[in-house]
Amino acid sequence: MSIVVASMSSDAVPGDGLLPPHAYMRDDEAADDRFYAFPRKVVHIDDEAIAALGRLYAEVLPAEGRLLDLMSSWRSHLPAGVRAAEVVGLGMNAEEMADNPQLARHVVHDVNDTPRLPFVDEEFDGAMCAVSIQYVTHPLRLFREVRRVLRPGAPFVVSFSNRCFFTKAVAVWLETTDEQHLTLVRRYFESAGGWSDITPEDRSAGGDANPLYAVWARRSSEA
């Protein structure tokens, strides 16, 4: 009996072929569900950065739409002006999301273990991922999945600061600057394909506030 070993496709390894796999290694490679099992009911950026993120959401996210809060937790940081028809959270800790007053419902799901999102095509009018992109080990697969579940023209807002759980952040994130993070996330959109109007922004309030950066784009109608 002969055994044929197939070569691993580029999107089956960390980084999905965008960068060498070691760029997406982490100090703590234990299962993510173990790390996130204990609820952390805290915000990860300060009030000024939260307000800056809220202003961005108010400008970009559609009113009365169905929104996906990707890698969600205790708070979604949606401002009062964004009156969504429904906000669905997808994250790692059920207790955190159950205490999030802006979520209509939530799903426990590990995007690093299973990038395929548990939603049908074109289910949402917008999506956001707040201060969590630094933990993603399959960025291209995830961005393609977000595109799949968004309607044409729908925005996806990815925000981040200079704060993180260092043991769970991927190596390329820890080894690069804030400005390079903007370039990296823009490259996620470009390399995943199917996104238009890609916009990197420094939304920092200045002073002693935590910095706030974002890259957002719209789901194009073409594959």
Side-chain angles (χ1 to χ4, degrees):
M1 177 183 295
S2 62
I3 299 176
V4 177
V5 179
S7 61
M8 186 174 291
S9 66
S10 62
D11 65 358
V13 298
D16 306 329
L18 178 66
L19 295 172
H22 65 76
Y24 289 87
M25 296 295 100
R26 302 169 295 171
D27 287 345
D28 179 3
E29 289 289 358
D32 288 340
D33 58 0
R34 292 172 54 188
F35 182 83
Y36 295 104
F38 181 79
R40 297 174 176 88
K41 297 181 182 180
V42 296
V43 292
H44 300 288
I45 49 178
D46 62 20
D47 290 344
E48 290 83 1
I50 290 171
L53 180 57
R55 288 190 291 272
L56 175 61
Y57 284 166
E59 293 172 19
V60 175
L61 295 175
E64 304 299 332
R66 299 188 70 237
L67 303 179
L68 172 61
D69 187 8
L70 190 68
M71 303 178 76
S72 182
S73 61
W74 187 56
R75 292 292 181 265
S76 294
H77 305 313
L78 288 166
V82 176
R83 301 185 182 279
E86 181 184 43
V87 183
V88 178
L90 183 144
M92 292 293 293
N93 188 282
E95 184 176 334
E96 287 179 5
M97 291 187 289
D99 265 2
N100 185 330
Q102 294 185 308
L103 298 182
R105 59 188 176 94
H106 62 268
V107 180
V108 175
H109 184 90
D110 183 350
V111 297
N112 286 339
D113 180 68
T114 308
R116 175 81 178 184
L117 299 178
F119 306 111
V120 300
D121 294 358
E122 301 186 7
E123 186 169 344
F124 297 99
D125 301 296
M128 58 273 196
C129 178
V131 294
S132 295
I133 191 63
Q134 61 269 21
Y135 308 121
V136 174
T137 59
H138 292 285
L140 302 192
R141 295 174 69 187
L142 182 60
F143 276 54
R144 289 166 185 152
E145 273 297 291
V146 175
R147 181 193 180 278
R148 180 183 64 79
V149 303
L150 289 179
R151 298 187 176 100
F156 178 30
V157 181
V158 180
S159 62
F160 48 91
S161 185
N162 61 354
R163 304 162 63 85
C164 65
F165 297 123
F166 289 96
T167 60
K168 280 297 184 182
V170 296
V172 65
W173 194 269
L174 298 179
E175 295 168 359
T176 48
T177 66
D178 293 334
E179 187 69 26
Q180 289 170 322
H181 294 159
L182 284 167
T183 301
L184 179 64
V185 177
R186 178 178 187 135
R187 192 171 173 191
Y188 290 167
F189 278 109
E190 292 172 342
S191 298
W195 298 97
S196 63
D197 302 327
I198 303 170
T199 306
E201 296 187 276
D202 181 346
R203 286 279 180 149
S204 304
D208 295 330
N210 294 156
L212 193 283
Y213 308 97
V215 184
W216 62 275
R218 296 189 181 279
R219 191 257 208 215
S220 68
S221 57
E222 299 178 359

